[in-house]
Amino acid sequence: MDSILVEKSPPLSGEVRISGAKNAALPIIAATLLCDSPVTLNNIPNLADISAMERLLCSMGLETRYEREEGTLQIDPSRVRWLEAPYDLVRKMRASFFVLGPLVGKYREAKVSMPGGCAIGARPVNIHLKALEALNIELEVEHGYVVADGSAMKGGRVHLDFPSVGATENALCAAVRAPGETVIENAAREPEVTDLADFLAAAGAKIEGQGSSTIHIQGVDQLSVDSYAIIPDRIEAGTYLAAAALTGGTVQATHCREKDLTAFLADLESAGCQTRIEPNGGGLDNITVSRPGPIEAVSEIVTLPHPGFPTDLQAQMMALLCLAEGTSIIKETIFENRFMHVSELNRMGADIRVEGNSAIVRGVDSLSGSPVMASDLRASAALLIAGLVAEGKTEVLRVYHLDRGYEKIEEKFSGLGARIERVKPAPRSA
Ligand code: EPZ
Protein backbone atom coordinates (compact mmCIF):
# COMPACT_ATOMS: atom_id res chain seq x y z
CA MET A 1 0.00 0.00 0.00
CA ASP A 2 1.61 3.26 -1.15
CA SER A 3 2.32 6.06 1.25
CA ILE A 4 3.30 9.67 0.73
CA LEU A 5 6.42 11.06 2.39
CA VAL A 6 6.36 14.81 3.10
CA GLU A 7 9.21 16.84 4.52
CA LYS A 8 9.23 20.34 5.97
CA SER A 9 9.08 22.47 2.85
CA PRO A 10 9.81 26.10 1.95
CA PRO A 11 6.76 28.38 1.59
CA LEU A 12 4.84 27.08 -1.43
CA SER A 13 4.87 29.31 -4.47
CA GLY A 14 3.69 29.22 -8.07
CA GLU A 15 0.62 28.15 -10.00
CA VAL A 16 -1.47 25.00 -9.74
CA ARG A 17 -4.12 24.16 -12.35
CA ILE A 18 -7.32 22.89 -10.74
CA SER A 19 -8.92 19.76 -12.19
CA GLY A 20 -12.57 18.96 -12.82
CA ALA A 21 -14.76 18.44 -9.75
CA LYS A 22 -15.00 14.84 -8.54
CA ASN A 23 -18.34 15.53 -6.85
CA ALA A 24 -19.82 17.03 -9.99
CA ALA A 25 -18.42 14.36 -12.32
CA LEU A 26 -19.78 11.42 -10.30
CA PRO A 27 -23.50 12.37 -10.39
CA ILE A 28 -23.19 13.58 -14.00
CA ILE A 29 -21.64 10.27 -15.10
CA ALA A 30 -24.55 8.50 -13.37
CA ALA A 31 -27.00 10.89 -15.06
CA THR A 32 -25.79 9.88 -18.54
CA LEU A 33 -28.00 6.81 -17.94
CA LEU A 34 -30.93 9.16 -18.56
CA CYS A 35 -29.66 10.08 -22.04
CA ASP A 36 -30.85 8.52 -25.30
CA SER A 37 -27.54 8.92 -27.19
CA PRO A 38 -23.78 8.91 -26.54
CA VAL A 39 -22.29 11.69 -24.41
CA THR A 40 -18.70 12.94 -24.14
CA LEU A 41 -17.83 14.47 -20.77
CA ASN A 42 -14.85 16.85 -20.65
CA ASN A 43 -12.65 18.14 -17.82
CA ILE A 44 -13.04 14.76 -16.11
CA PRO A 45 -10.35 14.30 -13.43
CA ASN A 46 -8.12 11.21 -13.45
CA LEU A 47 -9.29 9.70 -10.13
CA ALA A 48 -9.96 6.29 -8.66
CA ASP A 49 -13.56 7.27 -7.89
CA ILE A 50 -14.21 8.13 -11.54
CA SER A 51 -12.86 4.73 -12.57
CA ALA A 52 -15.14 3.11 -9.99
CA MET A 53 -18.22 4.86 -11.40
CA GLU A 54 -17.13 3.91 -14.93
CA ARG A 55 -16.83 0.27 -13.83
CA LEU A 56 -20.33 0.41 -12.40
CA LEU A 57 -21.82 1.68 -15.67
CA CYS A 58 -19.89 -0.95 -17.63
CA SER A 59 -21.29 -3.63 -15.28
CA MET A 60 -24.74 -2.50 -16.44
CA GLY A 61 -23.73 -2.99 -20.06
CA LEU A 62 -22.88 0.57 -21.07
CA GLU A 63 -19.95 1.20 -23.37
CA THR A 64 -17.42 3.74 -22.07
CA ARG A 65 -14.03 5.17 -23.08
CA TYR A 66 -12.03 6.99 -20.38
CA GLU A 67 -9.11 8.99 -21.75
CA ARG A 68 -7.44 9.83 -18.44
CA GLU A 69 -4.72 12.13 -19.78
CA GLU A 70 -7.13 14.03 -22.02
CA GLY A 71 -9.72 14.22 -19.23
CA THR A 72 -12.56 12.89 -21.37
CA LEU A 73 -15.07 10.14 -20.69
CA GLN A 74 -17.27 8.92 -23.56
CA ILE A 75 -20.40 7.05 -22.54
CA ASP A 76 -22.89 5.28 -24.79
CA PRO A 77 -25.96 4.71 -22.58
CA SER A 78 -27.96 2.96 -25.28
CA ARG A 79 -26.82 -0.56 -24.40
CA VAL A 80 -28.02 -0.89 -20.79
CA ARG A 81 -28.63 -4.54 -20.05
CA TRP A 82 -28.85 -4.74 -16.25
CA LEU A 83 -30.64 -2.18 -14.09
CA GLU A 84 -28.72 -3.13 -10.99
CA ALA A 85 -25.90 -1.66 -8.88
CA PRO A 86 -24.39 -4.60 -6.99
CA TYR A 87 -23.26 -4.50 -3.36
CA ASP A 88 -19.59 -5.14 -4.06
CA LEU A 89 -19.41 -1.99 -6.21
CA VAL A 90 -21.65 0.27 -4.09
CA ARG A 91 -19.83 -0.61 -0.84
CA LYS A 92 -16.55 0.58 -2.36
CA MET A 93 -17.94 3.94 -3.35
CA ARG A 94 -21.18 5.27 -1.91
CA ALA A 95 -21.64 7.68 -4.84
CA SER A 96 -22.68 4.56 -6.79
CA PHE A 97 -26.04 5.09 -5.08
CA PHE A 98 -26.50 8.06 -7.41
CA VAL A 99 -27.52 5.69 -10.22
CA LEU A 100 -30.84 5.01 -8.47
CA GLY A 101 -32.56 8.20 -9.64
CA PRO A 102 -31.38 7.95 -13.26
CA LEU A 103 -32.29 4.25 -13.56
CA VAL A 104 -35.81 4.65 -12.23
CA GLY A 105 -36.20 7.92 -14.15
CA LYS A 106 -35.29 6.32 -17.49
CA TYR A 107 -36.34 2.67 -17.09
CA ARG A 108 -38.97 2.93 -14.36
CA GLU A 109 -37.18 0.27 -12.35
CA ALA A 110 -33.89 -0.22 -10.46
CA LYS A 111 -32.21 -2.47 -7.96
CA VAL A 112 -29.44 -0.65 -6.10
CA SER A 113 -27.49 -1.84 -3.07
CA MET A 114 -27.83 0.27 0.04
CA PRO A 115 -24.52 2.02 0.66
CA GLY A 116 -22.85 1.21 3.94
CA GLY A 117 -21.69 3.90 6.32
CA CYS A 118 -18.14 5.12 6.18
CA ALA A 119 -15.50 6.60 8.44
CA ILE A 120 -17.16 10.00 8.71
CA GLY A 121 -20.62 8.79 9.59
CA ALA A 122 -23.52 6.40 9.17
CA ARG A 123 -24.62 8.33 6.07
CA PRO A 124 -28.14 6.87 5.77
CA VAL A 125 -30.22 7.35 2.60
CA ASN A 126 -33.62 7.95 4.19
CA ILE A 127 -33.91 11.41 2.59
CA HIS A 128 -33.16 9.93 -0.85
CA LEU A 129 -35.90 7.29 -0.41
CA LYS A 130 -38.50 9.74 0.92
CA ALA A 131 -37.80 12.04 -2.05
CA LEU A 132 -38.35 9.25 -4.60
CA GLU A 133 -41.54 8.12 -2.85
CA ALA A 134 -42.86 11.68 -3.24
CA LEU A 135 -42.65 11.02 -6.99
CA ASN A 136 -44.95 8.01 -6.52
CA ILE A 137 -42.08 5.54 -6.90
CA GLU A 138 -42.67 2.28 -5.01
CA LEU A 139 -39.60 1.33 -2.98
CA GLU A 140 -38.86 -1.93 -1.19
CA VAL A 141 -35.70 -2.48 0.84
CA GLU A 142 -34.87 -6.16 0.80
CA HIS A 143 -31.67 -8.12 1.43
CA GLY A 144 -29.66 -4.88 1.52
CA TYR A 145 -31.00 -3.62 -1.79
CA VAL A 146 -33.40 -0.83 -2.71
CA VAL A 147 -35.81 -2.21 -5.30
CA ALA A 148 -37.64 0.60 -7.12
CA ASP A 149 -40.83 0.37 -9.19
CA GLY A 150 -41.46 3.59 -11.06
CA SER A 151 -44.23 2.31 -13.31
CA ALA A 152 -46.68 4.83 -11.80
CA MET A 153 -44.23 7.64 -11.09
CA LYS A 154 -45.25 11.20 -11.71
CA GLY A 155 -44.12 14.70 -10.84
CA GLY A 156 -44.87 15.90 -7.33
CA ARG A 157 -43.79 18.00 -4.36
CA VAL A 158 -40.51 16.78 -2.88
CA HIS A 159 -39.56 18.31 0.47
CA LEU A 160 -36.09 17.39 1.78
CA ASP A 161 -35.86 17.36 5.58
CA PHE A 162 -32.19 18.30 5.13
CA PRO A 163 -30.59 19.79 1.98
CA SER A 164 -28.79 16.54 1.22
CA VAL A 165 -26.52 16.80 -1.85
CA GLY A 166 -27.05 13.20 -2.92
CA ALA A 167 -30.77 13.16 -2.23
CA THR A 168 -31.23 16.34 -4.28
CA GLU A 169 -29.26 14.72 -7.12
CA ASN A 170 -31.23 11.46 -7.05
CA ALA A 171 -34.54 13.35 -6.91
CA LEU A 172 -33.49 15.61 -9.78
CA CYS A 173 -32.53 12.65 -11.97
CA ALA A 174 -35.80 10.86 -11.34
CA ALA A 175 -37.92 13.99 -11.85
CA VAL A 176 -36.53 15.10 -15.22
CA ARG A 177 -38.27 12.16 -16.92
CA ALA A 178 -41.30 11.96 -14.63
CA PRO A 179 -44.54 13.11 -16.30
CA GLY A 180 -45.71 16.50 -15.01
CA GLU A 181 -44.32 19.15 -12.71
CA THR A 182 -41.97 18.49 -9.78
CA VAL A 183 -40.80 20.96 -7.16
CA ILE A 184 -37.87 20.11 -4.88
CA GLU A 185 -38.01 22.18 -1.70
CA ASN A 186 -35.04 22.66 0.63
CA ALA A 187 -32.80 21.47 -2.21
CA ALA A 188 -29.02 21.41 -1.79
CA ARG A 189 -27.35 24.48 -3.34
CA GLU A 190 -23.83 23.05 -3.77
CA PRO A 191 -22.16 24.00 -7.08
CA GLU A 192 -21.93 20.29 -7.94
CA VAL A 193 -25.72 19.95 -7.71
CA THR A 194 -26.09 23.01 -9.95
CA ASP A 195 -23.63 21.48 -12.43
CA LEU A 196 -25.73 18.30 -12.58
CA ALA A 197 -28.85 20.38 -13.23
CA ASP A 198 -27.02 22.37 -15.90
CA PHE A 199 -25.91 19.11 -17.56
CA LEU A 200 -29.49 17.83 -17.59
CA ALA A 201 -30.76 21.17 -18.93
CA ALA A 202 -28.12 21.02 -21.69
CA ALA A 203 -29.58 17.61 -22.57
CA GLY A 204 -33.06 19.12 -22.89
CA ALA A 205 -34.44 18.82 -19.35
CA LYS A 206 -36.76 21.61 -18.21
CA ILE A 207 -35.26 22.84 -14.91
CA GLU A 208 -35.44 26.19 -13.11
CA GLY A 209 -34.02 27.34 -9.79
CA GLN A 210 -30.88 25.20 -9.58
CA GLY A 211 -28.51 26.83 -7.05
CA SER A 212 -31.46 27.97 -4.94
CA SER A 213 -33.38 26.02 -2.31
CA THR A 214 -36.35 25.45 -4.64
CA ILE A 215 -35.93 23.67 -7.97
CA HIS A 216 -38.79 23.35 -10.49
CA ILE A 217 -38.74 20.52 -13.05
CA GLN A 218 -41.11 19.76 -15.94
CA GLY A 219 -40.70 16.13 -17.07
CA VAL A 220 -39.61 15.42 -20.67
CA ASP A 221 -39.52 12.25 -22.78
CA GLN A 222 -36.12 12.58 -24.39
CA LEU A 223 -32.66 13.70 -23.24
CA SER A 224 -29.50 13.93 -25.32
CA VAL A 225 -26.41 16.11 -25.44
CA ASP A 226 -23.20 15.52 -27.42
CA SER A 227 -20.74 16.85 -24.85
CA TYR A 228 -20.48 18.67 -21.53
CA ALA A 229 -17.59 20.10 -19.47
CA ILE A 230 -17.47 19.56 -15.69
CA ILE A 231 -16.94 22.54 -13.35
CA PRO A 232 -13.62 22.90 -11.49
CA ASP A 233 -13.07 21.20 -8.14
CA ARG A 234 -13.53 23.83 -5.40
CA ILE A 235 -12.31 21.42 -2.71
CA GLU A 236 -9.09 20.67 -4.57
CA ALA A 237 -8.58 24.42 -5.02
CA GLY A 238 -9.25 25.07 -1.33
CA THR A 239 -6.79 22.37 -0.34
CA TYR A 240 -3.90 23.97 -2.25
CA LEU A 241 -4.85 27.45 -1.05
CA ALA A 242 -4.92 26.24 2.57
CA ALA A 243 -1.46 24.77 2.01
CA ALA A 244 -0.26 28.15 0.71
CA ALA A 245 -1.64 29.83 3.81
CA LEU A 246 -0.12 27.26 6.16
CA THR A 247 3.36 27.45 4.62
CA GLY A 248 3.27 31.25 4.31
CA GLY A 249 3.76 31.15 0.55
CA THR A 250 1.96 32.63 -2.44
CA VAL A 251 0.01 30.20 -4.61
CA GLN A 252 -2.30 30.84 -7.55
CA ALA A 253 -4.98 28.24 -8.18
CA THR A 254 -5.96 28.59 -11.83
CA HIS A 255 -9.12 27.61 -13.76
CA CYS A 256 -11.34 27.59 -10.66
CA ARG A 257 -14.26 29.77 -9.51
CA GLU A 258 -14.22 32.30 -6.68
CA LYS A 259 -18.02 32.12 -6.34
CA ASP A 260 -17.74 28.48 -5.20
CA LEU A 261 -15.35 29.36 -2.34
CA THR A 262 -16.63 32.62 -0.83
CA ALA A 263 -17.12 31.29 2.73
CA PHE A 264 -13.75 29.51 2.74
CA LEU A 265 -11.87 32.54 1.34
CA ALA A 266 -13.53 34.81 3.91
CA ASP A 267 -12.30 32.56 6.73
CA LEU A 268 -8.81 32.42 5.18
CA GLU A 269 -8.77 36.23 5.30
CA SER A 270 -9.92 36.11 8.95
CA ALA A 271 -6.90 33.84 9.56
CA GLY A 272 -4.55 36.57 8.28
CA CYS A 273 -4.35 35.71 4.56
CA GLN A 274 -4.64 37.96 1.53
CA THR A 275 -6.60 36.81 -1.52
CA ARG A 276 -6.54 38.10 -5.09
CA ILE A 277 -9.07 37.11 -7.77
CA GLU A 278 -8.35 37.47 -11.50
CA PRO A 279 -10.89 36.46 -14.17
CA ASN A 280 -9.55 33.73 -16.43
CA GLY A 281 -12.28 33.68 -19.08
CA GLY A 282 -15.28 31.38 -19.46
CA GLY A 283 -16.56 32.18 -15.98
CA LEU A 284 -13.33 30.87 -14.45
CA ASP A 285 -11.00 32.68 -12.06
CA ASN A 286 -7.42 32.49 -10.88
CA ILE A 287 -7.35 32.74 -7.09
CA THR A 288 -4.11 33.78 -5.36
CA VAL A 289 -3.60 33.36 -1.62
CA SER A 290 -0.67 34.66 0.42
CA ARG A 291 -0.01 35.30 4.10
CA PRO A 292 2.01 38.43 4.94
CA GLY A 293 2.00 37.93 8.71
CA PRO A 294 1.16 35.36 11.43
CA ILE A 295 -1.79 32.97 11.22
CA GLU A 296 -4.62 34.54 13.21
CA ALA A 297 -7.00 32.42 15.27
CA VAL A 298 -10.58 32.44 13.98
CA SER A 299 -13.17 32.66 16.76
CA GLU A 300 -15.55 30.18 15.16
CA ILE A 301 -15.81 28.26 11.88
CA VAL A 302 -19.07 26.40 11.30
CA THR A 303 -19.50 23.90 8.47
CA LEU A 304 -22.87 24.39 6.77
CA PRO A 305 -24.68 23.47 3.57
CA HIS A 306 -23.58 25.67 0.63
CA PRO A 307 -23.08 28.63 0.54
CA GLY A 308 -21.80 28.09 4.09
CA PHE A 309 -18.29 26.86 4.92
CA PRO A 310 -17.85 23.45 3.18
CA THR A 311 -17.41 20.39 5.41
CA ASP A 312 -14.92 19.03 2.86
CA LEU A 313 -12.49 21.86 3.74
CA GLN A 314 -12.93 21.56 7.52
CA ALA A 315 -9.90 19.33 8.09
CA GLN A 316 -7.65 21.47 5.89
CA MET A 317 -8.69 24.63 7.74
CA MET A 318 -8.01 22.86 11.06
CA ALA A 319 -4.46 22.06 9.91
CA LEU A 320 -3.94 25.77 9.23
CA LEU A 321 -5.30 26.88 12.60
CA CYS A 322 -3.02 24.46 14.47
CA LEU A 323 -0.29 27.12 14.10
CA ALA A 324 -2.46 30.17 14.72
CA GLU A 325 -1.77 32.77 17.39
CA GLY A 326 -4.66 32.08 19.74
CA THR A 327 -7.52 29.60 20.01
CA SER A 328 -10.06 28.81 17.29
CA ILE A 329 -13.27 26.79 17.41
CA ILE A 330 -14.39 24.60 14.50
CA LYS A 331 -17.94 23.27 14.61
CA GLU A 332 -18.84 20.36 12.28
CA THR A 333 -22.59 20.34 11.67
CA ILE A 334 -22.81 18.13 8.54
CA PHE A 335 -21.27 14.80 9.58
CA GLU A 336 -21.39 13.23 13.02
CA ASN A 337 -17.88 11.81 13.00
CA ARG A 338 -15.60 14.05 10.99
CA PHE A 339 -12.89 14.82 13.54
CA MET A 340 -10.72 11.72 13.14
CA HIS A 341 -7.86 13.85 11.86
CA VAL A 342 -7.73 15.50 15.31
CA SER A 343 -5.92 12.61 16.98
CA GLU A 344 -3.40 12.43 14.15
CA LEU A 345 -2.77 16.19 14.22
CA ASN A 346 -2.31 15.97 17.99
CA ARG A 347 0.28 13.25 17.45
CA MET A 348 2.11 15.84 15.32
CA GLY A 349 2.12 18.22 18.30
CA ALA A 350 -1.12 20.10 17.75
CA ASP A 351 -3.29 21.02 20.75
CA ILE A 352 -6.88 20.23 19.81
CA ARG A 353 -9.70 19.20 22.11
CA VAL A 354 -13.03 17.83 20.86
CA GLU A 355 -16.21 18.66 22.72
CA GLY A 356 -19.31 17.26 21.02
CA ASN A 357 -19.35 18.53 17.44
CA SER A 358 -16.80 21.28 18.18
CA ALA A 359 -13.02 21.15 18.02
CA ILE A 360 -11.14 23.69 20.15
CA VAL A 361 -7.85 24.37 18.37
CA ARG A 362 -5.25 26.08 20.58
CA GLY A 363 -2.44 27.36 18.37
CA VAL A 364 1.06 25.96 18.98
CA ASP A 365 4.45 27.18 17.74
CA SER A 366 5.29 24.19 15.59
CA LEU A 367 4.35 20.67 14.55
CA SER A 368 6.62 17.65 14.39
CA GLY A 369 6.66 15.10 11.61
CA SER A 370 5.24 11.66 12.28
CA PRO A 371 3.79 8.66 10.49
CA VAL A 372 0.07 9.43 10.31
CA MET A 373 -2.90 7.45 9.14
CA ALA A 374 -5.95 8.97 7.58
CA SER A 375 -9.48 7.73 7.62
CA ASP A 376 -11.04 9.73 4.82
CA LEU A 377 -10.09 11.65 1.73
CA ARG A 378 -10.08 15.14 3.23
CA ALA A 379 -8.43 14.11 6.51
CA SER A 380 -5.59 12.65 4.43
CA ALA A 381 -5.18 15.96 2.66
CA ALA A 382 -5.09 17.84 5.96
CA LEU A 383 -2.34 15.58 7.32
CA LEU A 384 -0.33 16.00 4.12
CA ILE A 385 -0.41 19.80 4.30
CA ALA A 386 0.42 19.69 8.03
CA GLY A 387 3.50 17.67 7.03
CA LEU A 388 4.66 20.56 4.84
CA VAL A 389 5.36 22.70 7.94
CA ALA A 390 6.12 19.96 10.49
CA GLU A 391 9.72 19.56 11.61
CA GLY A 392 11.21 16.48 9.99
CA LYS A 393 9.35 13.90 7.94
CA THR A 394 5.68 12.95 7.85
CA GLU A 395 4.55 9.74 6.23
CA VAL A 396 0.85 9.73 5.27
CA LEU A 397 -0.27 6.11 5.16
CA ARG A 398 -3.32 4.67 3.32
CA VAL A 399 -2.71 7.05 0.44
CA TYR A 400 -5.46 5.35 -1.58
CA HIS A 401 -7.79 7.79 0.17
CA LEU A 402 -5.95 10.67 -1.53
CA ASP A 403 -5.99 8.97 -4.92
CA ARG A 404 -9.79 8.87 -4.75
CA GLY A 405 -10.07 12.64 -4.89
CA TYR A 406 -6.82 14.39 -5.77
CA GLU A 407 -5.42 14.11 -9.30
CA LYS A 408 -1.60 13.99 -9.56
CA ILE A 409 -1.31 15.26 -5.98
CA GLU A 410 2.42 14.79 -5.51
CA GLU A 411 3.16 16.31 -8.94
CA LYS A 412 1.01 19.33 -8.22
CA PHE A 413 2.51 19.88 -4.75
CA SER A 414 6.06 19.32 -6.06
CA GLY A 415 5.36 21.96 -8.70
CA LEU A 416 4.73 24.40 -5.86
CA GLY A 417 8.03 23.55 -4.16
CA ALA A 418 6.81 20.94 -1.71
CA ARG A 419 9.22 18.22 -0.63
CA ILE A 420 6.96 15.25 -1.30
CA GLU A 421 7.27 11.80 -2.81
CA ARG A 422 5.15 8.69 -3.17
CA VAL A 423 6.73 5.67 -1.50
CA LYS A 424 5.98 2.21 -2.82
CA PRO A 425 6.10 -0.58 -0.21
CA ALA A 426 9.23 -2.71 -0.37
CA PRO A 427 8.49 -5.92 -2.27
CA ARG A 428 7.76 -8.73 0.21
CA SER A 429 10.74 -11.08 0.42
CA ALA A 430 9.75 -14.39 -1.15
C1 EPZ B 1 -21.74 14.74 -0.81
O1 EPZ B 1 -22.00 13.59 -0.03
C2 EPZ B 1 -20.25 14.69 -1.15
N1 EPZ B 1 -19.95 13.48 -1.91
C3 EPZ B 1 -19.42 14.72 0.14
O2 EPZ B 1 -18.04 14.78 -0.24
C4 EPZ B 1 -19.76 15.99 0.90
O3 EPZ B 1 -19.05 16.00 2.13
C5 EPZ B 1 -21.28 16.03 1.18
O4 EPZ B 1 -22.00 15.94 -0.07
C6 EPZ B 1 -21.69 17.31 1.90
O5 EPZ B 1 -21.34 18.41 1.13
C7 EPZ B 1 -20.26 13.44 -3.23
O6 EPZ B 1 -20.83 14.36 -3.78
C8 EPZ B 1 -19.89 12.18 -3.96
P1 EPZ B 1 -25.26 14.67 2.05
P2 EPZ B 1 -23.54 13.19 0.32
O7 EPZ B 1 -26.31 13.73 1.57
O8 EPZ B 1 -24.41 13.47 -0.83
C9 EPZ B 1 -27.03 13.12 6.16
C10 EPZ B 1 -15.79 14.10 -0.29
O9 EPZ B 1 -14.89 14.14 0.55
N2 EPZ B 1 -27.99 12.38 5.34
O10 EPZ B 1 -25.42 16.13 1.77
O11 EPZ B 1 -23.53 11.81 0.87
C11 EPZ B 1 -25.64 12.54 6.02
O12 EPZ B 1 -25.48 11.43 6.89
C12 EPZ B 1 -17.19 13.67 0.12
O13 EPZ B 1 -15.65 14.40 -1.50
C13 EPZ B 1 -29.02 11.68 5.97
O14 EPZ B 1 -29.12 11.67 7.19
O15 EPZ B 1 -23.84 14.23 1.49
C14 EPZ B 1 -24.77 13.70 6.40
O16 EPZ B 1 -24.67 13.77 7.82
C15 EPZ B 1 -17.27 13.33 1.60
N3 EPZ B 1 -29.92 10.99 5.20
C16 EPZ B 1 -25.55 14.92 5.88
O17 EPZ B 1 -26.90 14.46 5.69
C17 EPZ B 1 -29.82 10.99 3.81
O18 EPZ B 1 -30.68 10.36 3.16
C18 EPZ B 1 -25.04 15.45 4.54
O19 EPZ B 1 -25.07 14.40 3.62
C19 EPZ B 1 -28.78 11.71 3.20
C20 EPZ B 1 -27.88 12.42 3.97
Side-chain angles (χ1 to χ4, degrees), residues 333-413:
T333 71
I334 305 296
F335 289 103
E336 70 267 25
N337 189 32
R338 204 171 196 177
F339 282 148
M340 282 157 305
H341 41 285
V342 168
S343 54
E344 297 300 283
L345 288 168
N346 283 340
R347 288 181 57 243
M348 296 176 74
D351 180 354
I352 309 167
R353 192 173 79 251
V354 173
E355 285 180 6
N357 68 345
S358 292
I360 295 92
V361 184
R362 199 171 66 83
V364 295
D365 294 333
S366 66
L367 297 175
S368 61
S370 154
V372 287
M373 188 170 290
S375 45
D376 78 86
L377 166 58
R378 309 306 174 181
S380 301
L383 296 172
L384 186 158
I385 66 176
L388 295 171
V389 292
E391 299 300 331
K393 295 182 178 180
T394 296
E395 187 177 16
V396 182
L397 306 168
R398 291 185 181 172
V399 80
Y400 60 84
H401 285 302
L402 283 169
D403 293 337
R404 294 187 54 185
Y406 289 94
E407 184 179 44
K408 300 190 178 109
I409 190 162
E410 64 263 34
E411 288 170 41
K412 290 191 176 186
F413 269 118

Side-chain angles (χ1 to χ4, degrees), residues 57-58 60-63 76-82 106-107:
L57 265 54
C58 291
M60 294 177 186
L62 278 75
E63 292 183 3
D76 180 355
S78 54
R79 300 281 306 277
V80 174
R81 287 199 291 275
W82 297 278
K106 174 79 176 293
Y107 299 100

Side-chain angles (χ1 to χ4, degrees), residues 171-195:
L172 200 49
C173 288
V176 291
R177 294 192 74 136
E181 165 100 23
T182 293
V183 59
I184 303 176
E185 297 169 343
N186 198 25
R189 300 173 55 191
E190 275 69 4
E192 296 76 24
V193 177
T194 301
D195 203 28

Side-chain angles (χ1 to χ4, degrees), residues 120-302:
I120 60 179
R123 301 184 76 177
V125 290
N126 56 312
I127 302 173
H128 295 243
L129 304 184
K130 189 176 168 188
L132 296 181
E133 285 170 340
L135 298 176
N136 208 37
I137 295 165
E138 298 286 325
L139 296 173
E140 293 290 333
V141 178
E142 51 195 42
H143 310 303
Y145 279 77
V146 174
V147 180
D149 172 1
S151 51
M153 71 187 281
K154 61 183 187 302
R157 179 169 171 262
V158 175
H159 181 83
L160 303 182
D161 296 335
F162 178 85
S164 153
V165 168
T168 305
E169 291 167 343
N170 258 330
L172 200 49
C173 288
V176 291
R177 294 192 74 136
E181 165 100 23
T182 293
V183 59
I184 303 176
E185 297 169 343
N186 198 25
R189 300 173 55 191
E190 275 69 4
E192 296 76 24
V193 177
T194 301
D195 203 28
L196 169 64
D198 291 346
F199 164 74
L200 292 167
K206 291 185 171 46
I207 302 175
E208 288 179 1
Q210 57 266 46
S212 78
S213 297
T214 305
I215 303 176
H216 291 270
I217 301 118
Q218 184 66 37
V220 296
D221 296 329
Q222 204 272 344
L223 289 171
S224 62
V225 60
D226 293 336
S227 64
Y228 187 81
I230 305 295
I231 60 169
D233 194 319
R234 62 194 168 107
I235 306 303
E236 184 196 25
T239 302
Y240 287 104
L241 296 173
L246 183 54
T247 59
T250 299
V251 168
Q252 182 178 69
T254 69
H255 299 84
C256 50
R257 303 192 315 184
E258 186 261 344
K259 67 178 180 180
D260 296 342
L261 283 165
T262 50
F264 171 73
L265 293 173
D267 281 336
L268 272 192
E269 289 173 357
S270 303
C273 297
Q274 288 178 348
T275 63
R276 190 177 73 246
I277 314 296
E278 293 164 312
N280 188 5
L284 299 179
D285 300 308
N286 294 340
I287 303 176
T288 301
V289 164
S290 57
R291 176 168 59 81
I295 302 170
E296 306 288 342
V298 180
S299 55
E300 188 177 53
I301 288 178
V302 186

